[in-house]
Amino acid sequence: MERYETPDLRVTLYKNGTSIRDIANEKVKDEDQDEPKREDVDDPFYLYDLGDVVTKDKLWAKLLPNVEVFFAVKSNPDPVIIRLLIGLGKSFDCASKKEIKMVLDLGASADRIIFAHPYKQESHLRFAKEKGVRLMTFDTAEELQKVKRVHPKAQLVLRIRYDDSTATFKYGSKFGCRGEEVRPLLEIAKKLGLDVVGISFHVGSESSNPQIFRDAIRFTRPLFDIGTSLGFNMKLLDLGGGFPGRLYPKATFDKFADVITRALDEHFPASSGVRIIAEPGTFHTRSAGYLVANVIAKRVNKVDINERRERVSDGDEPFIWIYYLNVGVFSGLNGKLFDPEYFDLPEPLHEPLRNRDLKPSTIFGPTCDSNDVIMANCMLPELDTGEFVLFHDMGGYTATCACDFNGFSLPPTWYIAPKEIRLVLEKTFPAQ
């Protein structure tokens, strides 16, 4: 396959119509791959499709043209992804000194960053001041005192609590003030001489309810009026994250965009002068990521009759096929610890799932930890030791949350892109 290479990037370019399975199979058998380095030919690896990121960004611009993107760096701090998004004109949601430094070092300007952590380590806040990062969130009086002491010229955004009950990951127990706390907090900010410029919320990640954005936007409207009555120039609304990013989401992005557009038109029309931003993360990157792993061992256990009554229906196999992969919950699949449906079943790399008979199966990761369970009591085709499998939706909160526990190294990343975005790559990653 054709490649685009610079000192900072090596991308395999594929033709329109080429499948990810075809590309992954080429990577598995291509012995000439030397960057990034895999120690052994059966080691796992990530594939990031940069074209998918570009496609998602175009979709956002089409459906939410008046909502500025501040990409949530925590979801995928891959430097190639960050540089691509900088080239696409995006801004960034950073939660720490390290994230701020990385984004700045990769070429973003300080005015394209929101320090979107309500509770900031003082040295991190001091770093933000030194680098000119002013926009940041808060939700307590104590944080206001800290900002007054360390970064009094900050532009503050009050984070409120507005959880979606359908979201897999809810944040209200940790972040955000309640409605009745808004006026007292704004009054304290006024007394301290601080500059509050807007309101933010986060409905939660993996939301399946687009209407929650309508409700949250409507809830914030009178809060802006409170701020204005106290003399603040309330000019920014931050919609947070929670936008669907997987290949087959429960609710599609166009449904979210439609609800948000209608709510903004009603409560924050263009004539209001309020700047609208959001902090998507997995929306831009989750479906761009793939993980290729190897079956390093297998065994077949006979299921105890009492256990079988609970796990396998009458007429099914009295056995369970158990597989061990060279990746697990510590090396990128940690989402399974919080949500059993966070990832779909892996597919055999050399042929689709539908082409083989399914067996009751459990998949373990490679570590010695008994909690390293990728999939329990699922239906898979019989796999062979040494066979490769492909995971989808691996571009968000995967590698960023991984570690090398038990000595199993983190999988390296290869970048791929359709030939159609070569001009985008040349502009963002110019050859020297």
Side-chain angles (χ1 to χ4, degrees), residues 165-425:
S165 61
T166 73
T168 302
F169 303 98
K170 304 175 183 66
Y171 304 117
S173 63
K174 188 171 185 178
F175 303 117
C177 72
R178 297 184 181 276
E180 62 270 20
E181 299 174 290
V182 170
R183 179 177 285 276
L185 283 172
L186 292 179
E187 288 175 344
I188 292 171
K190 188 69 176 178
K191 193 172 184 179
L192 291 172
L194 296 172
D195 184 18
V196 178
V197 299
I199 303 288
S200 75
F201 60 80
H202 197 307
V203 301
S205 296
E206 298 295 310
S207 172
S208 60
N209 175 23
Q211 298 303 324
I212 193 68
F213 279 93
R214 176 202 62 192
D215 299 340
I217 291 169
R218 180 171 57 197
F219 182 78
T220 61
R221 178 64 266 181
L223 306 184
F224 272 71
D225 296 335
I226 293 173
T228 300
S229 71
L230 292 171
F232 292 115
N233 181 13
M234 302 291 284
K235 58 187 178 182
L236 184 140
L237 173 62
D238 182 352
L239 307 179
F243 307 96
R246 63 194 306 169
L247 283 172
Y248 306 108
K250 296 175 182 177
T252 55
F253 178 65
D254 62 307
K255 292 188 171 80
F256 283 83
D258 181 64
V259 169
I260 290 170
T261 299
R262 291 173 184 270
L264 291 175
D265 286 345
E266 179 179 355
H267 301 289
F268 295 93
S271 59
S272 70
V274 174
R275 178 188 183 193
I276 312 297
I277 71 171
E279 301 166 1
T282 55
F283 170 79
H284 275 80
T285 63
R286 186 167 179 189
S287 62
Y290 301 84
L291 176 61
V292 177
N294 190 262
V295 180
I296 60 175
K298 66 181 282 190
R299 75 179 192 218
V300 182
N301 280 2
K302 189 168 184 177
V303 180
D304 179 86
I305 188 63
N306 293 321
E307 189 178 4
R308 188 181 174 211
R309 288 194 188 101
E310 298 176 4
R311 297 168 64 172
V312 224
S313 62
D314 289 341
D316 284 338
E317 294 275 5
F319 301 97
I320 187 163
W321 278 253
I322 300 175
Y323 302 102
Y324 302 82
L325 304 186
N326 54 0
V327 293
V329 298
F330 296 96
S331 49
L333 294 164
N334 63 297
K336 301 297 296 185
L337 295 174
F338 311 104
D339 178 10
E341 298 180 355
Y342 195 71
F343 300 113
D344 293 330
L345 289 170
E347 297 188 20
L349 188 56
H350 66 275
E351 64 177 314
L353 276 174
R354 63 179 178 273
N355 293 346
R356 297 163 71 167
D357 293 334
L358 303 181
K359 306 285 188 182
S361 306
T362 289
I363 313 174
F364 287 103
T367 69
C368 298
D369 193 314
S370 61
N371 292 313
D372 195 359
V373 183
I374 301 169
M375 302 273 185
N377 306 317
C378 58
M379 299 299 292
L380 282 173
E382 184 170 1
L383 303 171
D384 296 324
T385 298
E387 187 170 356
F388 285 91
V389 294
L390 177 69
F391 288 90
H392 298 263
D393 291 323
M394 294 297 297
Y397 297 103
T398 48
T400 186
C401 297
C403 67
D404 58 357
F405 173 60
N406 239 177
F408 290 94
S409 300
L410 304 186
T413 299
W414 281 325
Y415 303 96
I416 61 175
K419 291 184 177 181
E420 288 77 8
I421 73 159
R422 185 180 184 117
L423 290 177
V424 176
L425 298 176

